[in-house]
Amino acid sequence: MGTTALLVIDMFNPYRHEDAERLQHSAAGIVGPLAGLVRRAAASGEGLVVYVNDNLGDFSATRDDLVERALAGARPDLIEPLVPAPDCAFLTKIRHSAFYGTPLEYLLSHRDVDSVLLTGQVTEQCVLYTALDAYIRHIPLAVVTDAVAHIDPELGAAAVRMMRRNMRADLVTAGECFA
């Protein structure tokens, strides 16, 4: 019997970039449901929580570096509820997809993961590209619609529709997962 992996994508963001204000507004609405989902997944024994975060161009950055920089950024209130437990998997990425240049595929295979739940930011960018990479690897996926944040609401909604239609993603809410 397989496991479901909860992917938490790019939530450790200092929010000091061109689209930060728009993203912060959307992210503020997902932190509560996402933090609850992370807690339930970790407690369930049925889920694997995997944080995947952009290294923001710093190839020497560790998990602690990325979390500390985000906590020192413009919105620590969006970071604090999601700080990973020391035993959580934490992978750094360099591009949009959580699979690109990371050991994510190996980790999922090694842990007998048979499906992934996508959460985090940005819906129309990194979440979308991760969904595509899961789909082409034949990994069933679901998008947790109240746990993904967008920069552009129209593009975010379009990305969710694309993931459902083109990548056969299920659309679920955080409350439906690990309940």
Side-chain angles (χ1 to χ4, degrees):
M1 185 161 138
T3 300
T4 298
L6 172 61
L7 302 185
V8 181
I9 302 167
D10 289 341
M11 288 305 297
F12 301 106
N13 186 323
Y15 297 105
R16 292 189 175 122
H17 51 82
E18 181 181 332
D19 296 315
E21 189 172 318
R22 291 168 49 183
L23 181 56
Q24 289 172 46
H25 178 72
S26 180
I30 72 162
V31 169
L34 179 53
L37 178 54
V38 168
R39 283 191 302 274
R40 286 193 310 281
S44 75
E46 300 172 12
L48 170 66
V49 179
V50 181
Y51 290 85
V52 186
N53 212 85
D54 194 298
N55 70 7
L56 306 173
D58 181 353
F59 290 89
S60 67
T62 65
R63 166 217 299 263
D64 292 339
D65 294 334
L66 294 171
V67 172
E68 285 176 27
R69 289 175 195 164
L71 286 167
R75 292 295 303 268
D77 59 308
L78 301 179
I79 309 306
E80 289 164 352
L82 297 170
V83 171
D87 62 343
C88 270
F90 192 104
L91 307 175
T92 57
K93 66 183 186 70
I94 56 172
R95 298 291 293 176
H96 293 81
S97 173
F99 287 92
Y100 184 80
T102 75
L104 180 59
E105 185 172 12
Y106 176 80
L107 173 64
L108 298 179
S109 173
H110 181 70
R111 293 292 301 270
D112 195 28
V113 168
D114 59 11
S115 63
V116 294
L117 296 171
L118 302 182
T119 67
Q121 55 191 23
V122 171
T123 308
E124 65 270 28
Q125 295 174 16
C126 299
V127 175
L128 175 63
Y129 290 107
T130 300
L132 178 59
D133 275 354
Y135 177 73
I136 64 172
R137 287 168 172 78
H138 304 284
I139 301 170
L141 63 135
V143 178
V144 185
T145 57
D146 59 344
V148 290
H150 57 265
I151 293 171
D152 182 296
E154 290 179 21
L155 292 177
V160 169
R161 288 192 308 273
M162 287 177 60
M163 288 183 273
R164 186 183 77 220
R165 180 178 176 185
N166 299 347
M167 296 155 220
R168 295 178 178 75
D170 291 326
L171 304 183
V172 298
T173 63
E176 296 174 75
C177 304
F178 302 106

